[in-house]
Amino acid sequence: MKMRPEKYLRYLFLPNLFELFGTERTRQILSVNPTVIPKREEAQQVLITAYCYNKETIEERKDISLQEALALKESNKIIWINVDGLRKSDVENFGARYGIHPLLQEDILSVNQRAKMDEEDEILFSLMNMLYYNEPKKSVDQEQISLVLGKNFVITFQEDLSRDVFTALRERLKLPTSKTRTKDADYLYYTLLDTIVDHYFIVMDKLGDEIEDLEEEIIRSASKRTLAYINSLRKELIVLKRTIYPVREVISGLIKSENTLLAEQNERYYKDVYDHIVQAIDLVDNYRDMLTGMQDLYLSNVNLKMNEVMKVMAIVTCLLAPATVIGGIFGMNFNVLPLTNQHFGFWIAVAAMILIPIWMLLIFKRKGWF
């Protein structure tokens, strides 16, 4: 099996990768301290997009103003407002208009928040993280998203206006035959959650490919760079674990919720999302076990190579021992030594130094020592 060219490039840049994941990446992953409230920087640009739809029609309104978004509260259609870029003043205005509690507003503006859900009489709130695979850095990027469900509206707050995972959902929503168009806002809420969870598998597939390639490399020719990459992948699995595990509690809370915003007939859809997130958790555990096994395999290979080197050195030492002994005997300062005055004495000693190691090699070979 031939190694793909991009794998050579990966190992070519691994020294920098080792430095990144050994210091900066570790600091990024472990920078969550609940006793310290991190400050979010105000977004330089905010993009608000709205979809107003019912079974018959849909209207897409791009780059609308804050005032236009707030006025949609009076619409008799189902509203999906997506806010890309977070500013405290905008979130407060949405909270005042759509009945979002101030504590939930703090959660929306939080940084590195754990996935959670909360509910009130007229509001259902979920906070999750969307995942993206960063091909150049071979790492997992996160983007926090907050979802607010109310009567006939869903509001999503995202950090990054350059990307999200809802492109396919937007296209489906425009189709007259779309199932989402025929149902209430809670079904749209489910669809958003399901899309986020399904995208987890895309990211994990990318990591799975890297793990498979790494396993082949360990078997073929492992090096210190290989160990560095194992270490980096283990840290990315920490990101997956910290992102995915709490989502199970979020979906479980939605299933158990008796909030009137959630239609009882849609409960089976949330159970389907729960099944998906359980599968994702199992996959993360499997990847973690595989990397642990790879690290053990790498250490075993290192020990095996060291044993091979020690075995060769031991054989060489044994083969040189007869020559050392014979040379030491004939180098002693005695007046009478066997063969010292013989014409062929020197050649007899040299022959013994050669023949005895050959005889020893034959014995070693017969015993299967090399």
Side-chain angles (χ1 to χ4, degrees):
M1 184 180 295
K2 294 183 178 180
M3 190 188 302
R4 298 197 301 268
E6 57 269 23
K7 289 181 64 179
Y8 289 108
L9 294 177
R10 181 189 72 190
Y11 280 89
L12 180 64
F13 294 104
L14 265 178
N16 293 333
L17 191 66
F18 180 82
E19 181 181 358
L20 172 64
F21 285 104
T23 56
E24 295 181 14
R25 187 56 172 166
T26 302
R27 193 178 301 113
Q28 293 171 4
I29 293 173
L30 302 179
S31 63
V32 179
N33 186 350
T35 63
V36 178
I37 301 177
K39 294 183 179 180
R40 176 183 293 278
E41 295 183 2
E42 294 282 298
Q44 299 296 323
Q45 182 181 358
V46 176
L47 178 64
I48 303 177
T49 307
Y51 293 86
C52 310
Y53 67 90
N54 55 25
K55 185 176 181 180
E56 291 77 22
T57 62
I58 181 171
E59 179 186 4
E60 181 183 10
R61 303 174 63 180
K62 296 183 178 180
D63 199 10
I64 63 175
S65 65
L66 175 63
Q67 290 70 27
E68 291 176 299
L70 299 179
L72 292 175
K73 179 75 161 53
E74 305 301 329
S75 176
N76 56 0
K77 296 181 179 180
I78 296 176
I79 308 299
W80 173 23
I81 300 175
N82 185 70
V83 182
D84 290 308
L86 299 179
R87 291 176 181 165
K88 185 177 180 181
S89 59
D90 293 345
V91 173
E92 289 175 347
N93 285 322
F94 272 106
R97 180 59 173 164
Y98 287 91
I100 305 173
H101 194 277
L103 290 177
L104 299 183
Q105 296 177 32
E106 291 183 7
D107 287 335
I108 294 172
L109 295 169
S110 64
V111 180
N112 292 330
Q113 179 69 270
R114 189 176 188 269
K116 59 177 292 185
M117 65 87 60
D118 203 348
E119 58 181 323
E120 299 177 7
D121 293 337
E122 299 181 355
I123 289 293
L124 196 63
F125 173 81
S126 296
L127 185 147
M128 300 172 63
N129 284 286
M130 294 184 290
L131 296 179
Y132 311 96
Y133 188 71
N134 191 322
E135 288 283 355
K137 293 183 178 180
K138 302 294 182 184
S139 63
V140 179
D141 295 341
Q142 304 175 83
E143 181 188 354
Q144 185 170 294
I145 179 172
S146 301
L147 303 96
V148 179
L149 170 65
K151 186 177 181 181
N152 296 330
F153 70 83
V154 175
I155 306 176
T156 51
F157 296 92
Q158 302 185 48
E159 298 174 325
D160 189 354
L161 56 83
S162 64
R163 60 184 180 181
D164 65 20
V165 299
F166 302 130
T167 302
L169 173 59
R170 295 186 180 97
E171 296 301 321
R172 291 200 308 268
L173 196 61
K174 296 175 184 178
L175 299 175
T177 57
S178 173
K179 190 175 183 179
T180 308
R181 296 260 297 271
T182 64
K183 293 184 174 290
D184 295 332
D186 67 316
Y187 188 83
L188 172 63
Y189 192 73
Y190 144 74
T191 307
L192 292 167
L193 294 174
D194 185 55
T195 303
I196 294 172
V197 171
D198 286 348
H199 199 75
Y200 291 164
F201 288 95
I202 297 177
V203 175
M204 286 190 289
D205 284 343
K206 296 285 188 180
L207 279 179
D209 292 340
E210 292 295 323
I211 292 174
E212 290 178 5
D213 293 342
L214 183 59
E215 186 175 24
E216 296 175 10
E217 183 64 25
I218 292 174
I219 296 174
R220 185 180 293 107
S221 58
S223 64
K224 291 183 179 180
R225 295 181 178 183
T226 308
L227 182 61
Y229 201 66
I230 292 175
N231 184 56
S232 71
L233 288 177
R234 288 170 68 93
K235 288 183 172 65
E236 297 313 307
L237 287 183
I238 293 175
V239 176
L240 287 180
K241 180 180 178 180
R242 197 176 67 185
T243 299
I244 295 176
Y245 276 50
V247 176
R248 178 169 55 182
E249 301 174 11
V250 173
I251 305 302
S252 177
L254 293 172
I255 294 173
K256 297 175 182 178
S257 174
E258 298 180 356
N259 197 302
T260 56
L261 293 172
L262 298 175
E264 185 176 350
Q265 61 268 25
N266 291 334
E267 180 180 339
R268 63 179 181 272
Y269 297 114
Y270 289 95
K271 289 182 178 179
D272 182 65
V273 179
Y274 184 85
D275 292 339
H276 289 176
I277 203 64
V278 169
Q279 294 175 19
I281 291 173
D282 290 342
L283 195 56
V284 172
D285 290 338
N286 291 340
Y287 285 166
R288 185 175 57 185
D289 292 341
M290 289 176 65
L291 285 178
T292 301
M294 288 181 191
Q295 188 169 12
D296 294 340
L297 178 60
Y298 170 81
L299 296 176
S300 297
N301 285 342
V302 170
N303 292 332
L304 182 61
K305 289 180 180 179
M306 184 178 296
N307 291 338
E308 291 291 335
V309 172
M310 295 301 295
K311 183 170 67 175
V312 171
M313 293 177 66
I315 291 175
V316 171
T317 302
C318 290
L319 296 179
L320 293 177
T324 303
V325 173
I326 294 173
I329 292 174
F330 284 94
M332 292 187 294
N333 295 320
F334 290 105
N335 293 327
V336 179
L337 285 175
L339 304 178
T340 53
N341 297 317
Q342 298 293 327
H343 181 70
F344 296 102
F346 170 76
W347 299 110
I348 293 173
V350 171
M353 293 180 184
I354 296 175
L355 293 176
I356 293 176
I358 293 176
W359 174 70
M360 294 174 64
L361 279 175
L362 294 176
I363 294 177
F364 293 163
K365 184 68 174 178
R366 182 175 299 177
K367 291 183 175 292
W369 290 356
F370 67 93

